[in-house]
Amino acid sequence: LRRRRALLVLVAVLLIFYAVLAGLRQSTWLSEEKLFLNAAQCAPNSVLSLSNAGTVFYFKGDYAEAARYLEASKAIKPVYSKGLNNLGLVYWKEGRFEEAKDMYFASLKQTYPYSGAVDNLALLYATQGNTDKVIRWLRIAYPNVGDSALRSLF
């Protein structure tokens, strides 16, 4: 009888302990920001975790920190097209236009290219006033729209 009570107490203590741990861990899932930053901390060699953490900092406007995570992701595996595109966005925000273009082109050259890089190239060229290149990239993104309609945007 004593052993049985001791075993029940032990099981109850373990259940409470693991319930508390689960509750603490569950708070990580309350926001994408917490989830992505925690994932990068737990898996520092994960391309996707680092890329997602970089995107969190991009949206917070902390471009230096975003670049740090996205460059780390690229260093591990430089073929994740969305991460390359996101690094291009960071470079664009930092005024590093040639590097941004390089990242967009790198994103498009991958086996699984990120199509949003086409739009980002067009936007980058638009901010530089290069209408001919904007039209060229918009033709790729929107092949069913005529040139006159595209040029009317400028």
Side-chain angles (χ1 to χ4, degrees):
L1 188 62
R2 245 181 161 181
R3 275 190 166 169
R4 187 179 235 182
R5 281 188 185 166
L7 184 61
L8 285 174
V9 168
L10 178 63
V11 168
V13 168
L14 285 174
L15 282 173
I16 292 169
F17 174 74
Y18 283 111
V20 169
L21 281 180
L24 292 172
R25 181 71 179 141
Q26 183 268 345
S27 69
T28 300
W29 295 81
L30 292 178
S31 73
E32 286 181 350
E33 180 178 338
K34 281 184 175 183
L35 177 63
F36 292 157
L37 294 179
N38 184 268
Q41 183 180 22
C42 292
N45 293 318
S46 166
V47 172
L48 188 57
S49 294
L50 292 171
S51 181
N52 287 342
T55 303
V56 165
F57 286 107
Y58 172 81
F59 283 116
K60 290 174 88 171
D62 186 347
Y63 304 124
E65 195 67 6
R68 187 174 75 79
Y69 277 97
L70 289 162
E71 287 168 350
S73 172
K74 179 181 169 240
I76 293 169
K77 193 168 186 178
V79 297
Y80 179 50
S81 61
K82 196 165 187 179
L84 296 171
N85 175 76
N86 291 347
L87 185 54
L89 289 172
V90 170
Y91 289 160
W92 182 16
K93 289 289 189 175
E94 292 180 326
R96 299 160 62 182
F97 302 122
E98 288 303 313
E99 290 170 279
K101 273 191 255 182
D102 291 345
M103 288 300 100
Y104 297 147
F105 284 127
S107 174
L108 293 170
K109 289 178 184 175
Q110 301 308 312
T111 303
Y112 301 103
Y114 177 64
S115 62
V118 173
D119 293 321
N120 290 332
L121 275 167
L123 290 169
L124 177 62
Y125 286 124
T127 60
Q128 296 176 330
N130 192 333
T131 306
D132 290 336
K133 286 192 177 179
V134 172
I135 299 300
R136 176 179 169 222
W137 287 101
L138 287 178
R139 267 193 219 123
I140 293 169
Y142 307 99
N144 296 326
V145 178
D147 278 8
S148 59
L150 292 175
R151 290 194 180 278
S152 71
L153 298 171
F154 303 96

